[in-house]
Amino acid sequence: MPGVHLFPGGMGFTGADVSPASVEMLPTQGAPYTVEAWIRPQPDASVAAIVGWGDWGVENKTQCLLLQSTKEIEDTWWGSRLAAPLQASLADGVFHHVAATWDGATRKLFVDFEEVASGAAAPNAVTSTDTLCIGQAGWDEADIAVCPFKGALRDLRIWSVARSAAELRARGAAG
């Protein structure tokens, strides 16, 4: 299927791997954002990063949308997190739309265009954009992917504006 990528591990990028102009446009320093993707996790997926960037593992210096399990989604800044336990597993064999937004005051999480969590937070201090990772959360000392995503990802988008549920739904319906 075009646009679908299966992830046994993940993909990490540095400024040398992609256009420096594109990674420099990632939201930083508490700027508003929307991170969204369609995901189809495998049933055995545990802590699984969808996308993130920043100084991996440094408190308040990383932006990462991830699954804590197939029944919990999280938007983390490494130290400040918004999590949502889910009633049903996302590992049901179909794609689900997931999104995290930040408008400068409130973070929100969405699953299948429905808000599942929100909370006020102080702005993040992400400054680094040269470690964009898709399907993983950085690398360990042995250059092995951390928190690899098991399953399929498609239509990943990162916006420099906080989208509403209605805007996400409209974009999702438009394909």
Side-chain angles (χ1 to χ4, degrees):
M1 176 185 298
V4 173
H5 299 280
L6 300 176
F7 287 89
M11 297 187 303
F13 301 94
T14 65
D17 298 320
V18 295
S19 162
S22 61
V23 293
E24 288 172 4
M25 293 174 63
L26 291 169
T28 60
Q29 296 290 350
Y33 64 79
T34 298
V35 178
E36 65 175 319
W38 287 86
I39 65 169
R40 188 181 65 209
Q42 294 177 355
D44 64 341
S46 57
V47 180
I50 298 164
V51 63
W53 62 93
D55 295 319
W56 290 101
V58 178
E59 189 168 331
N60 207 34
K61 294 278 194 173
T62 306
Q63 163 59 43
C64 188
L65 177 61
L66 59 90
L67 298 178
Q68 281 293 341
S69 71
T70 60
K71 290 182 74 174
E72 184 177 0
I73 188 167
E74 177 179 318
D75 184 44
T76 185
W77 297 338
W78 248 256
S80 174
R81 64 189 286 262
L82 176 65
L86 306 173
Q87 294 295 317
S89 173
L90 296 176
D92 58 4
V94 299
F95 276 95
H96 294 275
H97 182 269
V98 295
T101 66
W102 162 252
D103 65 7
T106 304
R107 286 196 289 184
K108 295 181 180 181
L109 286 169
F110 300 87
V111 174
D112 293 330
F113 310 108
E114 298 297 326
E115 184 179 316
V116 294
S118 69
N124 68 48
V126 175
T127 57
S128 175
T129 60
D130 60 358
T131 56
L132 172 65
C133 291
I134 300 171
Q136 70 182 54
W139 305 263
D140 67 12
E141 296 79 25
D143 263 356
I144 296 174
V146 174
C147 304
F149 186 87
K150 290 182 175 181
L153 300 171
R154 68 180 178 113
D155 301 327
L156 171 69
R157 293 184 177 112
I158 302 169
W159 305 92
S160 59
V161 62
R163 301 268 183 213
S164 69
E167 290 172 313
L168 292 169
R169 192 174 296 108
R171 289 199 56 78

